[in-house]
Amino acid sequence: MSLKVSKYAASIAALLMLSAIANGQKPESEPFGKTKDGTAVEVYTLKSSKGLVAKIMTRGATLTELHLPDKDGTIADCILGWDDVAGYESEDNQYFGCTTGRVCNRIAKGKFTLDGKEYTLAINNDLNHLHGGVEKSLDKVVWTAKTWGGEKASGVTFTYKSPDGEEGYPGNLTVSVTYSVPRDKNNLSISYKATTDQATPVNLTNHAYFNLSGAGSKTVLNHALLVNAESYTPNDETLIPTGKIESVEGTDLDFRKFTRIAKRVKNFDEKPEIGYDHNFVLKPKPEGKKMVFAAALRDAKSGRQMRIMTSEPGIQFYSGNFLKGQVGKDGKTYAHRSALCLETQHFPDSINHENFPTTVLKPGEEFTSQSVYQFSTFVPRKNAGKAKGKKSESKNDEK
Ligand code: GAL
Protein backbone atom coordinates (compact mmCIF):
# COMPACT_ATOMS: atom_id res chain seq x y z
CA MET A 1 0.00 0.00 0.00
CA SER A 2 2.68 2.48 1.02
CA LEU A 3 4.62 1.60 -2.16
CA LYS A 4 1.48 2.35 -4.17
CA VAL A 5 1.05 5.69 -2.41
CA SER A 6 4.65 6.72 -2.99
CA LYS A 7 4.45 5.69 -6.68
CA TYR A 8 1.29 7.77 -6.96
CA ALA A 9 2.99 10.71 -5.21
CA ALA A 10 6.01 10.41 -7.50
CA SER A 11 3.87 10.51 -10.66
CA ILE A 12 1.93 13.52 -9.33
CA ALA A 13 5.26 15.27 -8.64
CA ALA A 14 6.51 14.43 -12.15
CA LEU A 15 3.28 15.75 -13.67
CA LEU A 16 3.51 18.94 -11.62
CA MET A 17 7.10 19.42 -12.75
CA LEU A 18 6.16 18.89 -16.41
CA SER A 19 3.29 21.34 -16.15
CA ALA A 20 5.60 23.89 -14.45
CA ILE A 21 7.98 23.60 -17.39
CA ALA A 22 5.12 23.84 -19.89
CA ASN A 23 3.64 26.88 -18.14
CA GLY A 24 7.06 28.39 -17.71
CA GLN A 25 8.70 29.07 -14.41
CA LYS A 26 9.33 32.58 -13.27
CA PRO A 27 12.90 33.57 -12.48
CA GLU A 28 13.83 33.28 -8.82
CA SER A 29 15.16 36.12 -6.73
CA GLU A 30 17.31 36.46 -3.63
CA PRO A 31 18.54 39.36 -1.52
CA PHE A 32 21.78 41.00 -2.75
CA GLY A 33 22.28 43.35 0.20
CA LYS A 34 21.49 47.00 0.79
CA THR A 35 22.54 50.31 -0.68
CA LYS A 36 24.33 52.90 1.50
CA ASP A 37 20.97 54.53 2.21
CA GLY A 38 19.49 51.22 3.38
CA THR A 39 17.40 50.24 0.33
CA ALA A 40 17.16 46.46 -0.15
CA VAL A 41 18.53 45.13 -3.44
CA GLU A 42 17.35 41.86 -5.01
CA VAL A 43 19.06 39.78 -7.66
CA TYR A 44 17.11 37.70 -10.23
CA THR A 45 18.37 34.57 -11.99
CA LEU A 46 17.50 33.67 -15.59
CA LYS A 47 18.51 30.30 -17.05
CA SER A 48 18.42 28.49 -20.35
CA SER A 49 18.51 24.70 -20.64
CA LYS A 50 21.83 25.04 -22.53
CA GLY A 51 23.91 26.36 -19.66
CA LEU A 52 23.46 30.15 -19.76
CA VAL A 53 22.82 31.69 -16.35
CA ALA A 54 22.29 35.46 -16.10
CA LYS A 55 21.88 37.40 -12.86
CA ILE A 56 20.44 40.89 -12.79
CA MET A 57 20.01 43.09 -9.72
CA THR A 58 17.53 45.84 -9.02
CA ARG A 59 20.25 48.49 -8.42
CA GLY A 60 20.80 49.97 -11.85
CA ALA A 61 18.90 47.03 -13.47
CA THR A 62 22.45 45.68 -13.65
CA LEU A 63 23.65 42.44 -15.20
CA THR A 64 25.88 41.12 -12.41
CA GLU A 65 26.79 37.65 -13.73
CA LEU A 66 26.68 35.91 -17.09
CA HIS A 67 27.75 32.25 -17.02
CA LEU A 68 28.39 30.60 -20.37
CA PRO A 69 29.67 27.20 -21.49
CA ASP A 70 32.91 27.01 -23.45
CA LYS A 71 33.69 24.59 -26.31
CA ASP A 72 34.16 21.74 -23.79
CA GLY A 73 31.06 22.61 -21.77
CA THR A 74 32.97 24.28 -18.92
CA ILE A 75 30.99 27.18 -17.52
CA ALA A 76 32.54 30.55 -16.64
CA ASP A 77 31.19 33.94 -15.68
CA CYS A 78 32.13 36.15 -18.63
CA ILE A 79 31.33 39.68 -17.39
CA LEU A 80 32.97 41.98 -14.85
CA GLY A 81 31.20 42.88 -11.62
CA TRP A 82 31.26 42.84 -7.85
CA ASP A 83 30.21 40.40 -5.15
CA ASP A 84 28.21 43.00 -3.25
CA VAL A 85 26.35 46.30 -3.52
CA ALA A 86 29.27 48.15 -1.88
CA GLY A 87 31.46 47.13 -4.84
CA TYR A 88 28.94 48.62 -7.26
CA GLU A 89 28.76 51.78 -5.14
CA SER A 90 32.55 52.15 -5.04
CA GLU A 91 34.66 54.48 -7.18
CA ASP A 92 36.19 51.42 -8.84
CA ASN A 93 32.90 50.62 -10.53
CA GLN A 94 33.12 51.86 -14.11
CA TYR A 95 29.45 51.19 -14.98
CA PHE A 96 29.91 47.39 -14.85
CA GLY A 97 26.87 45.67 -16.39
CA CYS A 98 24.44 48.50 -15.66
CA THR A 99 21.57 50.06 -17.54
CA THR A 100 23.06 53.37 -18.64
CA GLY A 101 21.05 56.57 -19.03
CA ARG A 102 18.86 58.61 -19.18
CA VAL A 103 21.37 59.35 -21.96
CA CYS A 104 24.30 56.98 -22.32
CA ASN A 105 27.76 58.18 -23.34
CA ARG A 106 28.60 61.88 -23.53
CA ILE A 107 26.69 65.16 -23.90
CA ALA A 108 29.06 67.98 -24.80
CA LYS A 109 29.65 70.33 -21.86
CA GLY A 110 26.47 68.90 -20.28
CA LYS A 111 24.34 71.31 -22.30
CA PHE A 112 21.54 71.04 -24.80
CA THR A 113 18.61 73.13 -26.01
CA LEU A 114 15.16 71.65 -26.49
CA ASP A 115 12.03 73.56 -27.55
CA GLY A 116 13.97 76.81 -27.05
CA LYS A 117 15.02 76.06 -23.46
CA GLU A 118 18.61 75.41 -22.45
CA TYR A 119 19.29 72.55 -20.05
CA THR A 120 22.43 72.07 -17.96
CA LEU A 121 23.49 68.67 -16.70
CA ALA A 122 26.25 67.59 -14.35
CA ILE A 123 29.80 67.63 -15.73
CA ASN A 124 31.29 64.33 -14.60
CA ASN A 125 33.81 63.51 -17.33
CA ASP A 126 36.44 66.09 -18.15
CA LEU A 127 34.33 68.91 -19.67
CA ASN A 128 31.35 66.71 -20.46
CA HIS A 129 28.34 64.88 -19.08
CA LEU A 130 28.74 61.08 -19.09
CA HIS A 131 26.25 58.21 -18.76
CA GLY A 132 23.31 60.12 -17.29
CA GLY A 133 24.87 61.97 -14.38
CA VAL A 134 26.13 61.63 -10.87
CA GLU A 135 23.72 60.60 -8.12
CA LYS A 136 20.53 59.45 -9.78
CA SER A 137 21.65 58.24 -13.17
CA LEU A 138 19.82 55.02 -14.09
CA ASP A 139 22.76 52.84 -13.03
CA LYS A 140 22.62 54.13 -9.44
CA VAL A 141 18.92 53.96 -8.60
CA VAL A 142 17.00 50.92 -7.39
CA TRP A 143 14.35 49.71 -9.85
CA THR A 144 11.22 47.65 -9.12
CA ALA A 145 11.10 44.18 -10.67
CA LYS A 146 8.37 41.97 -12.06
CA THR A 147 9.06 38.44 -13.23
CA TRP A 148 7.28 36.38 -15.85
CA GLY A 149 7.65 32.87 -17.22
CA GLY A 150 6.22 31.58 -20.48
CA GLU A 151 6.46 28.30 -22.31
CA LYS A 152 9.39 29.45 -24.43
CA ALA A 153 11.16 32.07 -22.33
CA SER A 154 11.25 33.73 -18.96
CA GLY A 155 12.27 37.17 -17.90
CA VAL A 156 12.21 40.06 -15.53
CA THR A 157 11.08 43.61 -16.21
CA PHE A 158 12.63 46.42 -14.17
CA THR A 159 10.79 49.74 -13.97
CA TYR A 160 11.92 53.13 -12.73
CA LYS A 161 10.10 56.47 -12.64
CA SER A 162 12.57 59.30 -13.00
CA PRO A 163 11.01 62.59 -11.86
CA ASP A 164 11.07 65.79 -13.91
CA GLY A 165 14.43 67.51 -13.44
CA GLU A 166 16.28 64.45 -12.12
CA GLU A 167 19.96 64.85 -13.06
CA GLY A 168 18.84 67.99 -14.94
CA TYR A 169 16.75 66.18 -17.59
CA PRO A 170 13.25 67.48 -18.42
CA GLY A 171 10.07 65.42 -18.02
CA ASN A 172 8.77 62.67 -15.80
CA LEU A 173 10.23 59.60 -17.48
CA THR A 174 8.89 56.10 -16.93
CA VAL A 175 11.50 53.66 -18.11
CA SER A 176 11.55 49.87 -18.17
CA VAL A 177 14.12 47.31 -19.16
CA THR A 178 13.27 43.66 -19.73
CA TYR A 179 15.89 40.95 -19.59
CA SER A 180 14.76 37.60 -21.01
CA VAL A 181 16.25 34.23 -21.86
CA PRO A 182 14.64 31.62 -24.11
CA ARG A 183 14.47 28.11 -22.63
CA ASP A 184 16.40 26.36 -25.36
CA LYS A 185 19.03 28.87 -26.54
CA ASN A 186 21.91 30.72 -24.94
CA ASN A 187 20.47 34.12 -25.87
CA LEU A 188 20.02 37.13 -23.65
CA SER A 189 17.54 39.72 -24.86
CA ILE A 190 17.51 43.21 -23.35
CA SER A 191 14.66 45.49 -24.36
CA TYR A 192 13.83 48.98 -23.25
CA LYS A 193 10.69 51.13 -23.17
CA ALA A 194 10.19 54.71 -22.03
CA THR A 195 7.48 57.35 -21.98
CA THR A 196 7.59 60.99 -20.92
CA ASP A 197 5.33 63.96 -20.24
CA GLN A 198 7.78 66.52 -21.72
CA ALA A 199 10.16 66.31 -24.66
CA THR A 200 13.43 64.85 -23.41
CA PRO A 201 16.48 63.03 -24.78
CA VAL A 202 16.66 59.28 -24.13
CA ASN A 203 19.44 56.91 -25.15
CA LEU A 204 19.72 53.62 -23.27
CA THR A 205 22.27 50.84 -23.33
CA ASN A 206 23.71 48.04 -21.27
CA HIS A 207 27.29 48.51 -20.13
CA ALA A 208 28.45 44.88 -19.68
CA TYR A 209 32.20 44.31 -19.88
CA PHE A 210 32.86 40.98 -21.62
CA ASN A 211 35.81 38.66 -21.52
CA LEU A 212 34.80 35.43 -23.23
CA SER A 213 37.70 33.55 -21.57
CA GLY A 214 36.05 34.40 -18.24
CA ALA A 215 36.01 37.63 -16.23
CA GLY A 216 39.41 38.27 -14.68
CA SER A 217 41.33 36.66 -17.56
CA LYS A 218 44.40 38.71 -18.33
CA THR A 219 43.41 40.39 -21.57
CA VAL A 220 40.76 40.69 -24.22
CA LEU A 221 43.24 41.61 -26.94
CA ASN A 222 43.22 38.14 -28.46
CA HIS A 223 39.49 38.24 -29.05
CA ALA A 224 38.52 38.76 -32.68
CA LEU A 225 35.84 41.32 -33.42
CA LEU A 226 33.59 41.95 -36.38
CA VAL A 227 31.44 45.10 -36.56
CA ASN A 228 28.78 45.41 -39.23
CA ALA A 229 29.58 49.06 -39.95
CA GLU A 230 30.87 50.91 -42.99
CA SER A 231 31.30 54.15 -41.08
CA TYR A 232 31.83 55.71 -37.66
CA THR A 233 31.49 59.06 -35.89
CA PRO A 234 34.97 60.58 -35.29
CA ASN A 235 35.61 62.14 -31.87
CA ASP A 236 37.16 65.43 -30.82
CA GLU A 237 39.86 65.43 -28.12
CA THR A 238 37.21 65.16 -25.35
CA LEU A 239 35.54 62.16 -27.05
CA ILE A 240 32.58 64.19 -28.33
CA PRO A 241 31.61 63.40 -31.94
CA THR A 242 32.70 66.11 -34.35
CA GLY A 243 29.40 65.57 -36.19
CA LYS A 244 31.07 63.99 -39.21
CA ILE A 245 30.30 60.47 -40.37
CA GLU A 246 33.37 58.90 -41.95
CA SER A 247 34.12 55.66 -43.74
CA VAL A 248 36.05 52.94 -41.88
CA GLU A 249 37.77 52.00 -45.14
CA GLY A 250 41.54 52.11 -44.75
CA THR A 251 41.33 53.01 -41.03
CA ASP A 252 42.07 51.06 -37.85
CA LEU A 253 38.31 51.03 -37.29
CA ASP A 254 37.62 48.69 -40.17
CA PHE A 255 36.18 45.60 -38.45
CA ARG A 256 34.15 44.43 -41.43
CA LYS A 257 36.10 41.18 -41.19
CA PHE A 258 37.02 39.42 -37.96
CA THR A 259 40.17 41.12 -36.67
CA ARG A 260 42.10 40.50 -33.46
CA ILE A 261 41.81 43.56 -31.25
CA ALA A 262 45.55 43.42 -30.51
CA LYS A 263 46.35 43.95 -34.15
CA ARG A 264 45.74 47.71 -34.23
CA VAL A 265 44.77 48.88 -30.74
CA LYS A 266 48.26 50.28 -30.07
CA ASN A 267 47.69 52.82 -32.85
CA PHE A 268 45.26 54.55 -30.47
CA ASP A 269 47.60 54.66 -27.46
CA GLU A 270 48.52 58.29 -28.15
CA LYS A 271 45.03 59.33 -29.32
CA PRO A 272 42.44 60.95 -27.03
CA GLU A 273 40.56 57.62 -26.76
CA ILE A 274 43.72 55.78 -25.54
CA GLY A 275 42.34 52.64 -27.21
CA TYR A 276 39.12 51.76 -28.97
CA ASP A 277 36.33 54.00 -27.72
CA HIS A 278 34.32 54.73 -30.86
CA ASN A 279 30.74 54.79 -32.06
CA PHE A 280 30.17 52.75 -35.21
CA VAL A 281 27.31 53.55 -37.58
CA LEU A 282 25.59 50.22 -38.16
CA LYS A 283 24.29 49.17 -41.54
CA PRO A 284 20.55 49.84 -41.84
CA LYS A 285 18.09 47.20 -40.68
CA PRO A 286 17.05 44.84 -43.47
CA GLU A 287 13.61 45.75 -44.84
CA GLY A 288 10.81 44.59 -42.54
CA LYS A 289 13.21 43.55 -39.77
CA LYS A 290 13.25 45.01 -36.26
CA MET A 291 16.94 44.39 -35.71
CA VAL A 292 20.20 44.31 -37.61
CA PHE A 293 23.28 42.18 -37.00
CA ALA A 294 25.64 44.58 -35.20
CA ALA A 295 28.78 42.76 -34.11
CA ALA A 296 30.35 39.40 -33.35
CA LEU A 297 33.10 38.55 -30.91
CA ARG A 298 35.14 35.36 -30.82
CA ASP A 299 37.59 33.97 -28.33
CA ALA A 300 39.68 31.13 -29.77
CA LYS A 301 40.99 30.15 -26.32
CA SER A 302 37.59 29.18 -24.90
CA GLY A 303 35.74 28.73 -28.17
CA ARG A 304 33.02 31.05 -26.87
CA GLN A 305 31.47 33.49 -29.31
CA MET A 306 28.84 36.20 -29.16
CA ARG A 307 26.70 37.81 -31.85
CA ILE A 308 24.77 41.00 -31.16
CA MET A 309 21.55 41.92 -32.93
CA THR A 310 20.05 45.34 -32.29
CA SER A 311 17.33 47.77 -33.23
CA GLU A 312 19.75 50.65 -32.52
CA PRO A 313 21.60 52.62 -35.24
CA GLY A 314 25.00 52.55 -33.47
CA ILE A 315 27.34 50.56 -31.29
CA GLN A 316 30.15 51.83 -29.05
CA PHE A 317 33.20 49.60 -29.00
CA TYR A 318 35.18 50.39 -25.85
CA SER A 319 38.29 48.29 -25.21
CA GLY A 320 38.42 48.64 -21.42
CA ASN A 321 41.12 51.33 -21.59
CA PHE A 322 40.34 52.79 -18.17
CA LEU A 323 40.29 49.47 -16.31
CA LYS A 324 42.97 49.87 -13.68
CA GLY A 325 43.46 46.57 -11.87
CA GLN A 326 40.50 46.88 -9.53
CA VAL A 327 39.62 43.65 -7.69
CA GLY A 328 36.13 42.38 -8.50
CA LYS A 329 34.05 39.20 -8.14
CA ASP A 330 35.82 36.25 -6.51
CA GLY A 331 38.92 38.38 -5.88
CA LYS A 332 39.74 38.58 -9.58
CA THR A 333 41.74 41.51 -10.93
CA TYR A 334 40.41 43.56 -13.81
CA ALA A 335 43.50 44.79 -15.65
CA HIS A 336 43.77 47.42 -18.39
CA ARG A 337 42.01 46.00 -21.50
CA SER A 338 41.01 42.79 -19.76
CA ALA A 339 37.39 43.24 -20.90
CA LEU A 340 35.49 45.15 -23.56
CA CYS A 341 32.08 46.74 -24.01
CA LEU A 342 29.88 46.67 -27.08
CA GLU A 343 27.16 49.18 -26.27
CA THR A 344 24.22 49.32 -28.66
CA GLN A 345 22.98 52.91 -28.77
CA HIS A 346 22.01 56.06 -30.64
CA PHE A 347 25.12 58.08 -31.41
CA PRO A 348 26.78 59.96 -28.51
CA ASP A 349 25.79 63.63 -28.09
CA SER A 350 22.97 63.19 -30.64
CA ILE A 351 20.97 65.92 -28.90
CA ASN A 352 23.58 68.44 -30.17
CA HIS A 353 23.86 67.05 -33.73
CA GLU A 354 20.91 67.51 -36.06
CA ASN A 355 22.37 65.16 -38.66
CA PHE A 356 22.34 62.21 -36.21
CA PRO A 357 19.19 60.07 -35.71
CA THR A 358 17.13 61.85 -33.05
CA THR A 359 17.14 60.84 -29.39
CA VAL A 360 14.25 63.15 -28.48
CA LEU A 361 11.25 61.38 -26.95
CA LYS A 362 8.01 63.39 -26.97
CA PRO A 363 4.84 63.04 -24.88
CA GLY A 364 2.49 60.49 -26.47
CA GLU A 365 5.37 58.56 -28.04
CA GLU A 366 6.95 55.36 -26.76
CA PHE A 367 10.70 54.82 -26.88
CA THR A 368 11.56 51.20 -27.69
CA SER A 369 14.88 49.49 -28.21
CA GLN A 370 16.00 45.87 -28.24
CA SER A 371 19.32 44.07 -28.38
CA VAL A 372 19.87 40.31 -28.37
CA TYR A 373 23.19 38.77 -27.34
CA GLN A 374 23.50 35.30 -28.85
CA PHE A 375 26.11 32.99 -27.35
CA SER A 376 27.47 29.78 -28.83
CA THR A 377 30.77 27.95 -29.22
CA PHE A 378 33.04 27.25 -32.16
CA VAL A 379 36.01 25.02 -32.74
CA PRO A 380 39.10 27.18 -33.11
CA ARG A 381 40.99 26.51 -36.35
CA LYS A 382 43.99 24.71 -34.96
CA ASN A 383 41.67 22.16 -33.25
CA ALA A 384 39.17 21.99 -36.09
CA GLY A 385 40.41 18.64 -37.43
CA LYS A 386 40.21 16.95 -34.01
CA ALA A 387 36.60 17.62 -33.13
CA LYS A 388 33.79 15.60 -34.62
CA GLY A 389 30.35 16.95 -35.29
CA LYS A 390 31.28 20.57 -34.54
CA LYS A 391 31.53 23.03 -37.36
CA SER A 392 34.77 24.95 -37.72
CA GLU A 393 34.26 28.58 -38.60
CA SER A 394 36.24 29.64 -41.59
CA LYS A 395 34.09 32.28 -43.20
CA ASN A 396 35.10 35.83 -42.28
CA ASP A 397 37.92 34.48 -40.19
CA GLU A 398 40.60 36.55 -38.47
CA LYS A 399 42.91 38.53 -40.66
C1 GAL B 1 32.23 53.92 -22.10
C2 GAL B 1 32.81 55.19 -22.66
C3 GAL B 1 34.22 55.30 -22.16
C4 GAL B 1 34.27 55.27 -20.64
C5 GAL B 1 33.51 54.05 -20.14
C6 GAL B 1 33.37 54.02 -18.63
O1 GAL B 1 30.90 53.77 -22.52
O2 GAL B 1 32.75 55.17 -24.06
O3 GAL B 1 34.82 56.50 -22.63
O4 GAL B 1 33.70 56.44 -20.12
O5 GAL B 1 32.23 54.00 -20.69
O6 GAL B 1 34.60 53.99 -17.99
Side-chain angles (χ1 to χ4, degrees):
M1 176 71 180
S2 71
L3 185 70
K4 263 192 191 164
V5 169
S6 70
K7 262 192 180 169
Y8 179 71
S11 34
I12 295 279
L15 272 177
L16 283 175
M17 214 172 84
L18 277 178
S19 98
I21 291 170
N23 294 330
Q25 271 170 352
K26 289 183 177 181
E28 288 179 355
S29 71
E30 56 189 312
F32 192 63
K34 284 188 177 169
T35 60
K36 267 187 213 142
D37 70 8
T39 310
V41 176
E42 297 286 310
V43 65
Y44 291 79
T45 302
L46 303 181
K47 288 180 184 168
S48 82
S49 62
K50 307 282 183 200
L52 177 149
V53 177
K55 295 199 176 195
I56 310 108
M57 69 162 165
T58 48
R59 183 194 188 259
T62 297
L63 185 62
T64 58
E65 295 177 31
L66 183 63
H67 301 264
L68 300 165
D70 72 2
K71 61 183 187 309
D72 305 315
T74 307
I75 307 277
D77 184 0
C78 292
I79 59 160
L80 307 193
W82 310 96
D83 290 318
D84 52 23
V85 179
Y88 285 95
E89 286 179 333
S90 75
E91 296 231 316
D92 282 346
N93 180 15
Q94 295 167 336
Y95 302 92
F96 291 176
C98 67
T99 298
T100 315
R102 294 185 183 192
V103 173
C104 61
N105 211 285
R106 292 171 178 78
I107 293 183
K109 302 196 171 63
K111 287 205 186 297
F112 63 91
T113 303
L114 199 53
D115 295 338
K117 195 170 163 197
E118 187 176 82
Y119 293 90
T120 303
L121 312 170
I123 304 299
N124 57 344
N125 186 256
D126 195 4
L127 303 176
N128 301 318
H129 174 83
L130 177 72
H131 292 331
V134 182
E135 275 169 19
K136 296 274 186 169
S137 49
L138 297 182
D139 57 297
K140 296 184 189 79
V141 295
V142 176
W143 301 51
T144 55
K146 204 169 172 201
T147 56
W148 52 270
E151 209 175 300
K152 294 196 171 143
S154 60
V156 52
T157 299
F158 298 91
T159 304
Y160 177 67
K161 287 181 192 262
S162 175
D164 180 24
E166 191 163 64
E167 288 295 337
Y169 289 100
N172 291 293
L173 187 80
T174 300
V175 50
S176 74
V177 47
T178 298
Y179 288 80
S180 67
V181 169
R183 302 222 170 267
D184 60 348
K185 274 191 209 135
N186 284 347
N187 285 5
L188 176 67
S189 160
I190 309 182
S191 55
Y192 306 84
K193 282 188 178 165
T195 51
T196 182
D197 59 2
Q198 272 181 62
T200 192
V202 179
N203 194 359
L204 303 173
T205 193
N206 179 276
H207 210 294
Y209 286 69
F210 296 95
N211 184 321
L212 297 181
S213 284
S217 302
K218 219 167 149 192
T219 179
V220 86
L221 296 180
N222 289 324
H223 286 33
L225 177 69
L226 186 152
V227 183
N228 190 21
E230 304 276 352
S231 50
Y232 73 106
T233 54
N235 296 322
D236 72 10
E237 59 289 348
T238 70
L239 306 199
I240 294 292
T242 59
K244 289 186 184 145
I245 293 181
E246 284 178 5
S247 168
V248 296
E249 178 89 46
T251 74
D252 294 327
L253 295 165
D254 188 349
F255 281 96
R256 290 174 295 178
K257 287 186 179 154
F258 272 110
T259 309
R260 274 176 67 238
I261 292 157
K263 187 169 176 180
R264 302 174 300 196
V265 70
K266 280 205 160 24
N267 298 342
F268 293 93
D269 281 352
E270 306 301 322
K271 302 239 166 100
E273 296 87 1
I274 61 162
Y276 286 109
D277 199 351
H278 298 83
N279 172 62
F280 289 78
V281 178
L282 294 171
K283 284 197 196 148
K285 287 175 251 187
E287 185 120 5
K289 298 279 181 201
K290 287 191 187 140
M291 289 190 277
V292 64
F293 163 62
L297 186 67
R298 267 197 205 157
D299 171 37
K301 192 168 154 212
S302 63
R304 292 191 185 93
Q305 62 184 350
M306 167 170 83
R307 272 169 62 86
I308 303 178
M309 303 290 298
T310 190
S311 61
E312 288 297 300
I315 192 165
Q316 184 86 11
F317 167 37
Y318 166 61
S319 56
N321 312 310
F322 301 119
L323 290 172
K324 51 183 182 182
Q326 54 267 69
V327 177
K329 282 180 278 186
D330 297 327
K332 293 198 173 136
T333 301
Y334 300 150
H336 177 60
R337 295 183 185 155
S338 65
L340 60 83
C341 304
L342 288 163
E343 304 153 56
T344 54
Q345 61 183 8
H346 273 55
F347 309 164
D349 198 32
S350 288
I351 190 73
N352 291 310
H353 297 280
E354 275 183 5
N355 59 325
F356 288 177
T358 184
T359 49
V360 176
L361 178 70
K362 295 189 180 137
E365 294 176 350
E366 184 178 54
F367 168 93
T368 59
S369 165
Q370 185 179 14
S371 296
V372 179
Y373 305 77
Q374 305 169 329
F375 299 97
S376 58
T377 58
F378 69 105
V379 180
R381 248 199 198 154
K382 61 178 179 342
N383 298 331
K386 290 186 203 155
K388 276 189 192 158
K390 284 197 176 181
K391 257 195 278 165
S392 153
E393 305 271 340
S394 55
K395 233 188 351 170
N396 284 333
D397 219 338
E398 293 178 39
K399 272 187 194 167

